[in-house]
Amino acid sequence: MIEENNKEFNLRPSKERAKIHINEKSKIAEKAMMFIHDSGTYFFDSSTILQLIAKKIDKHPTIYTNSLDSFYILSKKDNLLVNLIGGDFNKINRFFYPKDLKDLKFDTAFLGAGAIKHDGIYYQDEEDIPLKREIIKRSKKVVIVAEHQKYKSDALYKAIAFEEIDVIIVDPISTNSFLEIVEEQEIKFDPKSIIIL
């Protein structure tokens, strides 16, 4: 059996990860809902937490996603407009990685994390990195959602520096790990940034 706290956690397929830490992920999803408003335009990453947020939405936003699973969930809702950003498909983690986002702009980008390390947010798939960086450039606000095992996970490719993040939402178990990282690395968040524990 694979230990959830070691680096092999991120090697699990997306469907397996969606069944793990449901309570923690649900709490994060509830907190994230405060950043979704009627008539807003949002990007949803391929995170399993974003799938839970997709299930909870009862407002009237426009959502773009590269996640096949989030698109499927959102497409069943009558109250919102959902757009799938297509491209080459990653079968294991079930996301598309497009080469061009055209003229898209977002009020808020909601992004998961493969791993949270001392210098930023990392992901397992190299082809995912250019998209994450482009999404950040096109978003007024960047919200990271991550449960506690992401501090013990490993991923190869850095995509996001802490100073690019406006809001970080973590579950209560993450509090100590997150604060240790901030203290050890002397990370200076923008005073406008919000950390929700």
Side-chain angles (χ1 to χ4, degrees), residues 122-139:
Y122 283 70
Y123 297 90
Q124 188 62 38
D125 301 292
E126 185 176 12
E127 63 271 18
D128 203 15
I129 306 311
L131 175 64
K132 295 281 195 297
R133 291 179 176 158
E134 190 62 28
I135 291 292
I136 288 169
K137 289 178 191 172
R138 293 168 177 265
S139 302

Side-chain angles (χ1 to χ4, degrees), residues 163-177:
E163 57 266 19
E164 297 175 292
I165 301 167
D166 298 295
V167 178
I168 298 178
I169 306 175
V170 298
D171 62 82
I173 299 171
S174 296
T175 304
N176 288 339
S177 296

Side-chain angles (χ1 to χ4, degrees), residues 128-166:
D128 203 15
I129 306 311
L131 175 64
K132 295 281 195 297
R133 291 179 176 158
E134 190 62 28
I135 291 292
I136 288 169
K137 289 178 191 172
R138 293 168 177 265
S139 302
K140 294 177 187 172
K141 182 180 290 181
V142 175
V143 176
I144 299 291
V145 293
E147 68 278 20
H148 64 275
Q149 92 277 350
K150 300 299 182 174
Y151 297 92
K152 306 221 185 261
S153 296
D154 197 13
L156 298 175
Y157 306 103
K158 180 180 174 183
I160 307 169
F162 285 115
E163 57 266 19
E164 297 175 292
I165 301 167
D166 298 295

Side-chain angles (χ1 to χ4, degrees), residues 34-91:
M34 73 175 80
F35 298 101
I36 298 175
H37 308 286
D38 287 331
S39 304
T41 301
Y42 304 96
F43 175 80
F44 275 24
D45 192 10
S46 58
S47 159
T48 55
I49 296 172
L50 268 296
Q51 293 171 33
L52 292 174
I53 296 171
K55 289 177 183 176
K56 294 176 184 292
I57 289 178
D58 59 357
K59 300 207 167 91
H60 304 275
T62 297
I63 298 174
Y64 289 82
T65 184
N66 67 327
S67 164
L68 184 60
D69 297 312
S70 287
F71 177 77
Y72 178 74
I73 294 164
L74 292 165
S75 69
K76 294 180 178 181
K77 295 181 176 274
D78 295 328
N79 57 318
L80 55 78
L81 178 61
V82 61
N83 299 277
L84 181 64
I85 300 174
D88 294 330
F89 186 60
N90 180 306
K91 291 181 182 178

Side-chain angles (χ1 to χ4, degrees), residues 102-116:
K102 300 184 180 168
D103 296 321
L104 296 177
K105 301 279 185 190
F106 309 103
D107 293 311
T108 302
F110 290 91
L111 305 174
I116 299 177

Side-chain angles (χ1 to χ4, degrees), residues 20 86 154 189:
I20 299 169
D154 197 13
F189 287 99

